[in-house]
Amino acid sequence: MEFATADLIDDFDAELASCETQFRQYGARAVFAGPIATIRCHRDNALVKKVLNGPGEGRVLVVDGGGSLASALMGDLIAAAAVEQGWAGVVINGAVRDVATLRTLDLGIKALGSNPRKSAKAGDGDTDVPVTFGGVDFAPGAWLYSDEDGIVVASRRLH
């Protein structure tokens, strides 16, 4: 899939929300898009591991970790599982770890930063719920488009 988020804004401005959060790029796939799946969790990545070890079918997992950088919500093992399961990308409003390895994986990965600390594994959180950050509502089933310029979200597939 080839697109540029700036071109999508030019062509579909009224249909798009543009995320104001400034994420860092960690995965080898700089441009990615797909239907959204969501998780809301805080310093606990058990749901992230569970979901990314399931069929991705070209989707993008949006994880609202509340912006916490205190511990990582995804590392190299979970990200490698996401690649194997066919996920297009992961956007984490929080931290990742194992960044040297993440750079080698064919997966779109955006996060606020990194922290080597592991997160809890209790399974606290919610899946398939709307999450909001950066001025955007990320609803399950909506479409996320991401490139070097940022992230835009539409209620339908545009490209």
Side-chain angles (χ1 to χ4, degrees):
M1 180 182 297
E2 292 186 27
F3 65 87
T5 55
D7 292 341
L8 291 175
I9 289 286
D10 291 348
D11 295 340
F12 302 100
D13 185 39
E15 294 185 59
L16 291 169
S18 178
C19 186
E20 299 168 3
T21 303
Q22 298 298 299
F23 287 98
R24 294 181 181 181
Q25 183 79 31
Y26 289 99
R29 188 183 296 182
V31 178
F32 60 97
I36 294 172
T38 63
I39 293 176
R40 181 184 302 120
C41 59
H42 182 69
R43 298 185 64 185
D44 185 324
N45 76 343
L47 289 176
V48 176
K49 180 178 180 179
K50 179 181 177 184
V51 169
L52 290 177
N53 273 280
E57 301 167 335
R59 293 178 295 163
V60 176
L61 181 62
V62 177
V63 181
D64 185 2
S68 175
L69 297 174
S71 61
L73 292 174
M74 186 177 75
D76 59 348
L77 298 177
I78 295 173
V83 172
E84 290 177 22
Q85 292 292 331
W87 289 86
V90 182
V91 176
I92 299 178
N93 185 28
V96 295
R97 67 185 212 161
D98 306 311
V99 296
T101 302
L102 295 183
R103 279 194 293 266
T104 69
L105 298 175
D106 184 22
L107 182 68
I109 303 170
K110 285 194 171 177
L112 296 178
S114 62
N115 188 325
R117 184 171 305 281
K118 293 190 290 188
S119 68
K121 313 282 186 225
D124 295 333
D126 300 295
T127 59
D128 297 320
V129 295
V131 297
T132 303
F133 54 85
V136 173
D137 295 325
F138 297 88
W143 272 74
L144 182 147
Y145 296 86
S146 177
D147 66 6
E148 294 90 342
D149 284 335
I151 296 170
V152 296
V153 174
S155 63
R156 64 181 181 94
R157 182 178 181 162
L158 300 175
H159 196 278

